[in-house]
Coordinates of all heavy atoms in Angstrom, one line a residue:
F107 N -11.8 3.6 -19.1 CA -12.6 3.1 -18.1 C -14.0 3.8 -18.2 O -14.2 4.9 -18.0 CB -12.1 3.3 -16.6 CG -10.7 2.8 -16.3 CD1 -9.6 3.7 -16.5 CD2 -10.6 1.6 -16.0 CE1 -8.3 3.2 -16.3 CE2 -9.3 1.1 -15.8 CZ -8.2 1.9 -15.9
E108 N -15.0 3.0 -18.7 CA -16.4 3.5 -18.8 C -17.3 2.2 -18.3 O -17.0 1.1 -18.7 CB -16.7 3.8 -20.3 CG -18.1 4.3 -20.5 CD -18.3 4.7 -21.9 OE1 -17.4 4.5 -22.6 OE2 -19.4 5.0 -22.2
K109 N -18.0 2.6 -17.3 CA -18.7 1.5 -16.5 C -19.5 0.6 -17.5 O -20.2 1.2 -18.4 CB -19.7 2.1 -15.5 CG -20.3 1.2 -14.6 CD -21.2 1.7 -13.5 CE -21.8 0.6 -12.8 NZ -22.7 1.0 -11.7
G110 N -19.3 -0.6 -17.3 CA -20.2 -1.6 -18.2 C -19.6 -1.9 -19.5 O -20.2 -2.6 -20.3
R111 N -18.5 -1.3 -19.9 CA -17.9 -1.4 -21.3 C -16.6 -1.9 -21.2 O -15.7 -1.8 -20.2 CB -17.8 0.0 -22.0 CG -19.2 0.9 -22.0 CD -19.9 0.9 -23.2 NE -19.3 0.7 -24.5 CZ -19.2 1.5 -25.4 NH1 -19.6 2.7 -25.3 NH2 -18.7 1.2 -26.7
R112 N -16.1 -2.7 -22.1 CA -14.8 -3.3 -22.2 C -13.9 -2.5 -23.2 O -14.3 -2.2 -24.3 CB -15.0 -4.8 -22.7 CG -13.7 -5.5 -22.9 CD -13.9 -7.0 -23.2 NE -12.8 -7.6 -23.7 CZ -11.8 -8.1 -22.9 NH1 -12.0 -8.0 -21.6 NH2 -10.7 -8.7 -23.3
F113 N -12.7 -2.4 -22.9 CA -11.8 -1.7 -23.6 C -10.6 -2.6 -23.9 O -10.1 -3.4 -23.0 CB -11.2 -0.4 -22.9 CG -10.0 0.2 -23.6 CD1 -10.1 1.0 -24.7 CD2 -8.7 -0.1 -23.1 CE1 -8.9 1.4 -25.3 CE2 -7.6 0.4 -23.8 CZ -7.7 1.2 -24.9
E114 N -10.1 -2.6 -25.2 CA -9.0 -3.5 -25.6 C -7.9 -2.7 -26.1 O -8.1 -1.7 -26.8 CB -9.4 -4.5 -26.6 CG -10.5 -5.6 -26.1 CD -10.9 -6.6 -27.0 OE1 -10.3 -6.7 -28.2 OE2 -11.7 -7.4 -26.6
G115 N -6.7 -3.0 -25.6 CA -5.5 -2.3 -25.9 C -4.3 -3.2 -25.8 O -4.4 -4.5 -25.9
S116 N -3.2 -2.6 -25.5 CA -1.9 -3.3 -25.3 C -1.1 -2.8 -24.1 O -1.3 -1.6 -23.8 CB -1.1 -3.4 -26.6 OG -0.7 -2.2 -26.9
Y117 N -0.4 -3.6 -23.5 CA 0.5 -3.3 -22.4 C 2.0 -3.6 -22.9 O 2.3 -4.7 -23.2 CB 0.1 -4.2 -21.2 CG 1.1 -3.9 -20.0 CD1 1.1 -2.7 -19.4 CD2 1.7 -4.9 -19.3 CE1 1.8 -2.4 -18.3 CE2 2.4 -4.6 -18.2 CZ 2.5 -3.4 -17.7 OH 3.3 -3.2 -16.6
V118 N 2.7 -2.4 -23.1 CA 4.1 -2.6 -23.7 C 5.0 -2.7 -22.7 O 5.1 -1.8 -21.7 CB 4.3 -1.4 -24.7 CG1 5.6 -1.5 -25.3 CG2 3.2 -1.2 -25.7
T119 N 5.9 -3.7 -22.8 CA 6.9 -3.9 -21.7 C 8.3 -4.0 -22.6 O 8.3 -4.1 -23.8 CB 6.7 -5.3 -21.0 OG1 7.1 -6.3 -21.9 CG2 5.4 -5.5 -20.6
P120 N 9.4 -3.9 -21.9 CA 10.7 -4.0 -22.5 C 10.9 -5.4 -23.2 O 11.7 -5.6 -24.1 CB 11.7 -3.9 -21.4 CG 11.0 -3.1 -20.4 CD 9.6 -3.5 -20.4
F121 N 10.0 -6.4 -22.9 CA 10.2 -7.7 -23.4 C 9.1 -8.0 -24.5 O 9.0 -9.1 -25.2 CB 9.8 -8.7 -22.3 CG 10.6 -8.5 -21.0 CD1 10.2 -7.9 -19.9 CD2 12.0 -8.6 -21.0 CE1 10.8 -7.5 -18.8 CE2 12.8 -8.3 -19.9 CZ 12.2 -7.8 -18.8
G122 N 8.3 -7.0 -24.8 CA 7.3 -7.1 -25.9 C 5.9 -6.6 -25.4 O 5.7 -6.2 -24.2
A123 N 4.9 -6.7 -26.3 CA 3.6 -6.0 -26.0 C 2.7 -7.3 -25.8 O 2.8 -8.3 -26.4 CB 3.0 -5.3 -27.2
L124 N 1.8 -7.0 -24.8 CA 0.8 -8.0 -24.5 C -0.6 -7.4 -24.8 O -0.9 -6.3 -24.6 CB 0.8 -8.2 -23.0 CG 2.1 -9.0 -22.4 CD1 2.0 -8.9 -20.9 CD2 2.3 -10.4 -22.9
D125 N -1.5 -8.3 -25.2 CA -2.9 -7.9 -25.5 C -3.5 -7.7 -24.2 O -3.3 -8.5 -23.2 CB -3.7 -8.8 -26.2 CG -3.3 -9.0 -27.7 OD1 -2.7 -8.0 -28.3 OD2 -3.4 -10.0 -28.3
M126 N -4.3 -6.6 -24.1 CA -4.9 -6.3 -22.6 C -6.4 -6.0 -22.8 O -6.7 -5.3 -23.8 CB -4.1 -5.1 -22.1 CG -4.7 -4.7 -20.8 SD -3.8 -3.1 -20.3 CE -4.4 -2.0 -21.5
G127 N -7.2 -6.4 -21.9 CA -8.5 -6.0 -21.8 C -9.0 -5.5 -20.5 O -8.5 -6.0 -19.5
V128 N -9.8 -4.4 -20.5 CA -10.3 -3.7 -19.3 C -11.7 -3.7 -19.2 O -12.3 -3.2 -20.2 CB -9.6 -2.4 -19.1 CG1 -10.1 -1.7 -17.8 CG2 -8.2 -2.4 -19.0
Y129 N -12.4 -4.2 -18.2 CA -13.9 -4.2 -18.1 C -14.1 -3.4 -16.8 O -13.9 -4.0 -15.7 CB -14.6 -5.6 -18.1 CG -16.0 -5.5 -17.9 CD1 -16.9 -5.1 -19.0 CD2 -16.6 -5.8 -16.7 CE1 -18.2 -5.0 -18.9 CE2 -18.0 -5.6 -16.6 CZ -18.8 -5.3 -17.7 OH -20.1 -5.1 -17.6
A130 N -14.7 -2.2 -16.8 CA -14.8 -1.4 -15.6 C -16.2 -1.7 -15.1 O -17.2 -1.7 -15.7 CB -14.8 0.0 -16.1
T131 N -16.3 -2.0 -13.8 CA -17.5 -2.2 -13.0 C -17.8 -0.9 -12.1 O -19.0 -1.0 -11.6 CB -17.4 -3.4 -12.1 OG1 -16.3 -3.2 -11.2 CG2 -17.2 -4.8 -12.9
Q132 N -16.8 0.0 -11.9 CA -17.2 1.2 -11.3 C -16.3 2.3 -11.8 O -15.1 2.0 -11.9 CB -16.9 1.1 -9.7 CG -17.1 2.4 -8.9 CD -16.9 2.2 -7.5 OE1 -17.2 1.2 -6.9 NE2 -16.2 3.3 -6.9
V133 N -16.9 3.4 -12.1 CA -16.1 4.6 -12.6 C -16.8 5.7 -11.9 O -17.8 6.1 -12.3 CB -16.0 4.7 -14.1 CG1 -15.4 5.9 -14.5 CG2 -15.5 3.4 -14.8
K134 N -16.1 6.3 -10.9 CA -16.6 7.6 -10.3 C -15.4 8.5 -10.2 O -14.3 8.1 -9.9 CB -17.1 7.3 -8.9 CG -18.3 6.3 -8.8 CD -18.7 6.2 -7.4 CE -20.0 5.2 -7.4 NZ -20.4 4.9 -6.0
Y135 N -15.8 9.8 -10.2 CA -14.9 10.9 -10.1 C -15.5 12.2 -9.6 O -16.7 12.3 -10.0 CB -13.9 11.1 -11.2 CG -14.6 11.6 -12.4 CD1 -14.8 12.8 -12.6 CD2 -14.9 10.6 -13.5 CE1 -15.5 13.4 -13.8 CE2 -15.5 11.1 -14.6 CZ -15.7 12.5 -14.8 OH -16.3 12.8 -16.1
Q136 N -15.0 13.0 -8.9 CA -15.4 14.4 -8.6 C -14.3 15.2 -8.3 O -13.3 14.9 -7.7 CB -16.5 14.3 -7.4 CG -16.0 13.8 -6.1 CD -15.5 14.9 -5.2 OE1 -15.9 16.1 -5.3 NE2 -14.5 14.7 -4.4
V137 N -14.6 16.6 -8.6 CA -13.6 17.5 -8.3 C -14.4 18.8 -7.8 O -15.3 19.2 -8.5 CB -12.7 18.1 -9.5 CG1 -11.7 19.0 -9.2 CG2 -12.1 16.8 -10.2
D138 N -14.0 19.3 -6.7 CA -14.8 20.5 -6.2 C -14.1 21.8 -6.6 O -13.2 21.8 -7.3 CB -14.9 20.4 -4.6 CG -13.8 20.6 -3.8 OD1 -12.8 21.2 -4.3 OD2 -13.8 20.3 -2.6
D139 N -14.8 22.9 -6.1 CA -14.3 24.3 -6.6 C -12.9 24.5 -5.9 O -12.3 25.5 -6.5 CB -15.3 25.4 -6.0 CG -16.6 25.3 -6.8 OD1 -16.6 24.7 -7.8 OD2 -17.6 25.7 -6.3
E140 N -12.5 23.8 -4.9 CA -11.2 24.1 -4.4 C -10.1 23.2 -4.9 O -9.0 23.2 -4.4 CB -11.2 23.8 -2.8 CG -12.3 24.7 -2.1 CD -11.9 26.2 -2.1 OE1 -10.8 26.5 -2.0 OE2 -12.9 26.9 -2.4
S141 N -10.4 22.5 -6.1 CA -9.5 21.5 -6.6 C -9.2 20.4 -5.8 O -8.1 19.7 -5.8 CB -8.2 22.3 -7.1 OG -8.5 23.3 -8.0
V142 N -10.2 19.9 -4.9 CA -10.0 18.7 -4.2 C -10.8 17.7 -4.9 O -11.9 18.0 -5.1 CB -10.5 19.0 -2.7 CG1 -10.4 17.8 -1.9 CG2 -9.6 20.0 -2.0
G143 N -10.3 16.4 -5.0 CA -11.2 15.5 -5.6 C -10.6 14.1 -5.4 O -9.6 13.9 -4.8
E144 N -11.2 13.2 -6.2 CA -10.9 11.7 -6.1 C -11.5 11.1 -7.4 O -12.4 11.5 -7.9 CB -11.3 11.1 -4.9 CG -12.8 11.0 -4.7 CD -13.1 10.4 -3.3 OE1 -12.7 9.2 -2.9 OE2 -13.9 10.9 -2.6
V145 N -10.8 10.0 -7.7 CA -11.2 9.0 -8.7 C -11.2 7.7 -8.1 O -10.2 7.3 -7.4 CB -10.2 9.1 -9.9 CG1 -10.6 8.1 -10.9 CG2 -9.9 10.5 -10.4
N146 N -12.5 6.9 -8.3 CA -12.5 5.6 -7.8 C -12.8 4.7 -9.0 O -13.9 4.9 -9.8 CB -13.5 5.5 -6.8 CG -13.2 6.2 -5.5 OD1 -12.2 5.9 -4.9 ND2 -14.0 7.3 -5.1
L147 N -11.9 3.6 -9.3 CA -12.3 2.7 -10.4 C -12.1 1.2 -9.8 O -11.3 1.0 -8.9 CB -11.1 2.9 -11.4 CG -10.8 4.3 -12.0 CD1 -9.6 4.3 -12.8 CD2 -12.1 4.6 -12.7
K148 N -13.0 0.4 -10.4 CA -13.0 -1.0 -10.2 C -13.1 -1.7 -11.5 O -13.9 -1.3 -12.3 CB -14.1 -1.5 -9.3 CG -14.1 -1.2 -7.8 CD -15.3 -1.7 -6.9 CE -15.1 -1.2 -5.6 NZ -16.3 -1.7 -4.7
Y149 N -12.2 -2.7 -11.8 CA -12.1 -3.2 -13.1 C -11.5 -4.6 -13.1 O -10.7 -4.9 -12.3 CB -11.4 -2.3 -14.0 CG -10.0 -2.0 -13.7 CD1 -9.0 -2.7 -14.3 CD2 -9.7 -1.0 -12.9 CE1 -7.6 -2.4 -14.0 CE2 -8.4 -0.6 -12.6 CZ -7.2 -1.3 -13.1 OH -5.9 -1.1 -12.8
Q150 N -11.9 -5.3 -14.1 CA -11.2 -6.7 -14.4 C -10.2 -6.4 -15.5 O -10.4 -5.7 -16.4 CB -12.3 -7.6 -14.8 CG -11.6 -9.0 -15.3 CD -12.7 -9.9 -15.7 OE1 -13.8 -10.1 -15.0 NE2 -12.5 -10.6 -16.7
L151 N -9.1 -7.1 -15.2 CA -7.9 -6.9 -16.2 C -7.7 -8.2 -16.8 O -7.6 -9.3 -16.1 CB -6.6 -6.4 -15.5 CG -5.3 -6.3 -16.4 CD1 -5.6 -5.2 -17.4 CD2 -4.2 -6.1 -15.5
D152 N -7.7 -8.4 -18.2 CA -7.3 -9.6 -18.8 C -6.1 -9.4 -19.6 O -5.8 -8.2 -20.3 CB -8.4 -9.9 -20.0 CG -9.8 -10.2 -19.2 OD1 -9.8 -10.7 -18.1 OD2 -10.8 -9.9 -20.0
L153 N -5.2 -10.3 -19.7 CA -3.9 -10.2 -20.5 C -3.8 -11.5 -21.3 O -4.2 -12.6 -20.9 CB -2.7 -10.3 -19.5 CG -2.5 -8.9 -18.7 CD1 -1.3 -9.1 -17.8 CD2 -2.2 -7.8 -19.6
Q154 N -3.5 -11.2 -22.6 CA -3.5 -12.2 -23.6 C -4.8 -13.0 -23.6 O -4.8 -14.3 -23.9 CB -2.3 -13.2 -23.4 CG -1.0 -12.4 -23.5 CD -0.7 -11.9 -24.8 OE1 -0.9 -10.7 -25.1 NE2 -0.2 -12.7 -25.8
G155 N -5.9 -12.5 -23.4 CA -7.3 -13.2 -23.4 C -7.6 -13.9 -22.3 O -8.6 -14.7 -22.2
Q156 N -6.8 -13.8 -21.2 CA -6.9 -14.6 -20.0 C -7.2 -13.7 -18.8 O -6.5 -12.7 -18.7 CB -5.8 -15.6 -19.7 CG -5.5 -16.6 -20.8 CD -6.6 -17.6 -20.9 OE1 -7.1 -18.1 -19.9 NE2 -7.0 -17.9 -22.1
F157 N -8.1 -14.1 -17.9 CA -8.3 -13.3 -16.6 C -6.9 -13.1 -16.0 O -6.2 -14.1 -15.7 CB -9.3 -14.0 -15.8 CG -9.4 -13.4 -14.4 CD1 -10.1 -12.2 -14.2 CD2 -8.9 -13.9 -13.3 CE1 -10.3 -11.5 -13.0 CE2 -8.9 -13.4 -12.1 CZ -9.7 -12.1 -11.9
A158 N -6.6 -11.9 -15.4 CA -5.3 -11.7 -14.8 C -5.7 -11.3 -13.3 O -5.1 -12.0 -12.3 CB -4.6 -10.6 -15.4
A159 N -6.6 -10.3 -13.2 CA -6.9 -9.9 -11.8 C -8.1 -8.9 -11.7 O -8.3 -8.3 -12.7 CB -5.7 -9.2 -11.1
M160 N -8.6 -8.8 -10.6 CA -9.6 -7.7 -10.3 C -8.8 -6.6 -9.7 O -8.0 -6.9 -8.8 CB -10.7 -8.2 -9.3 CG -11.7 -9.2 -9.9 SD -12.5 -8.6 -11.4 CE -13.5 -7.3 -10.9

Side-chain angles (χ1 to χ4, degrees):
F107 303 96
E108 185 174 359
K109 186 176 179 179
R111 307 253 345 237
R112 180 176 169 81
F113 167 79
E114 294 184 0
S116 61
Y117 181 55
V118 180
T119 76
F121 313 103
L124 299 170
D125 291 333
M126 177 186 68
V128 174
Y129 180 79
T131 58
Q132 178 183 323
V133 179
K134 294 181 180 178
Y135 63 86
Q136 65 88 28
V137 182
D138 70 16
D139 293 338
E140 302 296 318
S141 300
V142 175
E144 64 183 306
V145 179
N146 293 300
L147 304 171
K148 289 184 183 180
Y149 60 97
Q150 176 179 315
L151 179 68
D152 301 327
L153 291 173
Q154 299 296 99
Q156 300 293 315
F157 171 80
M160 291 301 296

